[in-house]
Amino acid sequence: MYPSPINKLISLFSRFPTVGPRTATRFAFYCLKTDSKEIDELISALKEVKESINLCEMCFRSIEKEKKLCNICLSGQRDKETLCIVEKEADLVSIENTGEYNGLYFVLGGTVSPLRKEDFKKVRAKELKERIKKGVKEAILATNQTTEGEATALFITRLLKELDIKTTRLGRGLSTGSELEYADEETLSSALKGRR
Amino acid sequence: MYPSPINKLISLFSRFPTVGPRTATRFAFYCLKTDSKEIDELISALKEVKESINLCEMCFRSIEKEKKLCNICLSGQRDKETLCIVEKEADLVSIENTGEYNGLYFVLGGTVSPLRKEDFKKVRAKELKERIKKGVKEAILATNQTTEGEATALFITRLLKELDIKTTRLGRGLSTGSELEYADEETLSSALKGRR
């Protein structure tokens, strides 16, 4: 129903995470209607992200191309023996924003699924092992409390078994503001086990 | 927390409809991780949409630049005396997909809000008036059943009052598959009034 350049844009936006065909259509018309200047900005930002971003050689966070290590890995004030392993960079930012963690990080770059074997290649398993060998004493598995997150934690735990380090997971229990009445059994049972 | 090209991209994606900062962050990392080829495709599609799309001179749908009128307005088989007025092009496509409508369309290009006076400039009011004068006998107001849609319908009704045409609105009532028990009062009262 739409001219082909619009259809093309809709199909490309449909590949974005969480975006279905309806939202993709809204995005395409937003781009059509919005100021050309803003679209030019978007185009330059896309180019720049692809051209000028590097990954930190230690933790695999994204950094400016001219750098080799990120500011956290370079910092002299962090506990270099503790490594927090996260699925993606946004999780790292969430933990960093609590101000409660003073160790270093490692970004896996994905999750493994117990059903799809090829997923194992999606996470930086080899790189993680190499990284741990460089003086890490405790690895905190900070994967999500989802099926994929759990499977990833299991996979990483097995991977690190042969290395002589302490492996912990994030505490589980009730979220702040949640009511007992509405908590699922799994959460409530975790909260009971993890009582202090 | 992120390198500046990523922050820039997040802020641009945040302006997209329905997108908040978290989703914008996911989009930015999707663009960072995805194949460069796909991002190049996205960049060309964005450019093409801005460069090669025109609006139909009669209904204001988007069309390829080399055309002046869209296929619906050009068609010899449509009822040229009935004009269906929609907020945006996606609404036109929804109506067209029912296969029940054989008249022509007019895309307002926005909605008016009763609170913000400057919104009146966002819809093609003058163009609509000109269009109606060219042989339209019935105008169907197919705006959304939202506050803005209702305000727009009211605005258009007033605008068309002085022209001697029949103005109708889309039938209101229960959606297919909906249950009486869960219908809101407004819908139920519309369904009662519109009983056949």
Side-chain angles (χ1 to χ4, degrees):
Chain A
M1 281 301 291
Y2 303 115
S4 63
I6 296 182
N7 282 334
K8 177 78 191 160
L9 200 53
I10 292 173
S11 93
L12 286 164
F13 278 136
S14 296
R15 298 191 205 161
F16 276 46
T18 73
V19 174
R22 256 165 221 273
T23 310
T25 308
R26 291 192 68 172
F27 287 178
F29 279 102
Y30 166 80
C31 292
L32 181 65
K33 279 185 92 175
T34 206
D35 223 40
S36 279
K37 215 184 117 238
E38 201 169 312
I39 299 302
D40 288 342
E41 273 184 71
L42 181 61
I43 290 174
S44 344
L46 283 167
K47 280 185 189 162
E48 217 186 325
V49 156
K50 295 307 271 185
E51 284 162 11
S52 72
I53 298 293
N54 232 342
L55 294 181
C56 169
E57 287 177 5
M58 269 176 87
C59 71
F60 295 93
R61 268 175 84 193
S62 52
I63 47 171
E64 278 91 3
K65 197 156 205 155
E66 55 279 14
K67 296 182 188 162
K68 288 202 157 192
L69 294 171
C70 76
N71 55 341
I72 296 178
C73 290
L74 275 175
S75 165
Q77 276 153 22
R78 316 267 319 197
D79 164 14
K80 295 196 189 302
E81 296 184 342
T82 313
L83 192 72
C84 181
I85 301 164
V86 292
E87 291 174 18
K88 55 183 192 295
E89 222 176 303
D91 300 338
L92 181 159
V93 172
S94 296
I95 294 173
E96 198 57 16
N97 284 343
T98 65
E100 291 288 328
Y101 180 68
N102 196 37
L104 300 182
Y105 292 94
F106 187 90
V107 180
L108 284 173
T111 50
V112 300
S113 136
L115 297 172
R116 282 170 299 175
K117 283 271 161 107
E118 68 276 26
D119 270 11
F120 287 84
K121 292 174 204 150
K122 280 201 209 157
V123 301
R124 301 188 180 97
K126 216 185 75 194
E127 292 89 337
L128 176 62
K129 237 171 153 176
E130 290 303 311
R131 175 69 188 82
I132 299 246
K133 285 177 187 164
K134 290 175 187 148
V136 173
K137 299 235 166 98
E138 179 180 355
I140 303 170
L141 287 174
T143 53
N144 289 325
Q145 299 291 353
T146 57
T147 320
E148 286 83 17
E150 294 284 307
T152 310
L154 194 69
F155 170 71
I156 301 292
T157 309
R158 280 184 193 149
L159 185 83
L160 304 183
K161 215 170 213 170
E162 52 181 277
L163 303 170
D164 185 30
I165 57 156
K166 189 175 153 194
T167 308
T168 55
R169 296 208 52 191
L170 285 187
R172 295 178 63 172
L174 295 159
S175 308
T176 308
S178 65
E179 292 182 45
L180 277 188
E181 189 181 350
Y182 302 111
D184 63 288
E185 283 171 35
E186 189 66 35
T187 302
L188 214 46
S189 123
S190 301
L192 267 171
K193 283 182 207 147
R195 67 186 182 274
R196 300 185 289 177
Chain B
M1 285 300 292
Y2 303 114
S4 64
I6 297 183
N7 282 333
K8 178 77 190 161
L9 200 52
I10 293 173
S11 93
L12 286 164
F13 278 136
S14 297
R15 297 192 206 161
F16 275 46
T18 73
V19 174
R22 257 166 221 271
T23 310
T25 307
R26 292 191 68 172
F27 288 179
F29 279 101
Y30 167 80
C31 292
L32 181 65
K33 280 185 91 174
T34 206
D35 223 41
S36 278
K37 215 183 117 237
E38 200 168 313
I39 298 301
D40 288 343
E41 273 185 71
L42 180 62
I43 290 174
S44 342
L46 283 167
K47 280 185 189 161
E48 217 186 326
V49 157
K50 295 308 272 188
E51 286 161 9
S52 71
I53 298 293
N54 232 343
L55 294 180
C56 170
E57 287 176 6
M58 267 174 90
C59 71
F60 295 94
R61 270 175 83 193
S62 52
I63 45 170
E64 278 91 3
K65 198 157 204 155
E66 56 277 12
K67 295 181 188 163
K68 288 202 157 191
L69 293 171
C70 77
N71 55 342
I72 297 179
C73 290
L74 276 175
S75 163
Q77 276 152 24
R78 316 268 316 198
D79 163 16
K80 295 195 188 304
E81 296 184 340
T82 313
L83 192 72
C84 180
I85 301 163
V86 292
E87 292 174 17
K88 55 184 192 296
E89 225 178 300
D91 299 338
L92 180 159
V93 172
S94 296
I95 294 172
E96 198 58 15
N97 284 342
T98 66
E100 290 288 327
Y101 180 68
N102 195 36
L104 300 182
Y105 293 94
F106 187 89
V107 180
L108 285 173
T111 51
V112 298
S113 137
L115 297 171
R116 284 170 298 176
K117 282 271 162 107
E118 68 275 27
D119 270 9
F120 287 84
K121 292 172 205 150
K122 281 201 211 157
V123 301
R124 301 188 180 97
K126 217 185 75 194
E127 292 89 338
L128 176 63
K129 237 171 152 174
E130 290 304 310
R131 175 68 188 83
I132 299 248
K133 285 177 187 162
K134 289 174 189 150
V136 174
K137 301 236 165 98
E138 178 181 355
I140 302 170
L141 287 174
T143 53
N144 289 325
Q145 299 292 352
T146 58
T147 320
E148 286 81 19
E150 294 285 306
T152 310
L154 194 70
F155 171 72
I156 300 293
T157 310
R158 280 183 192 149
L159 185 84
L160 304 183
K161 214 168 212 170
E162 53 183 273
L163 304 170
D164 186 30
I165 55 157
K166 188 176 155 196
T167 309
T168 55
R169 296 209 52 192
L170 285 188
R172 295 178 64 172
L174 296 160
S175 310
T176 308
S178 65
E179 293 182 44
L180 277 188
E181 189 182 349
Y182 302 110
D184 64 287
E185 284 172 33
E186 190 67 35
T187 302
L188 213 47
S189 125
S190 303
L192 267 171
K193 283 181 206 147
R195 67 185 183 273
R196 300 185 288 177

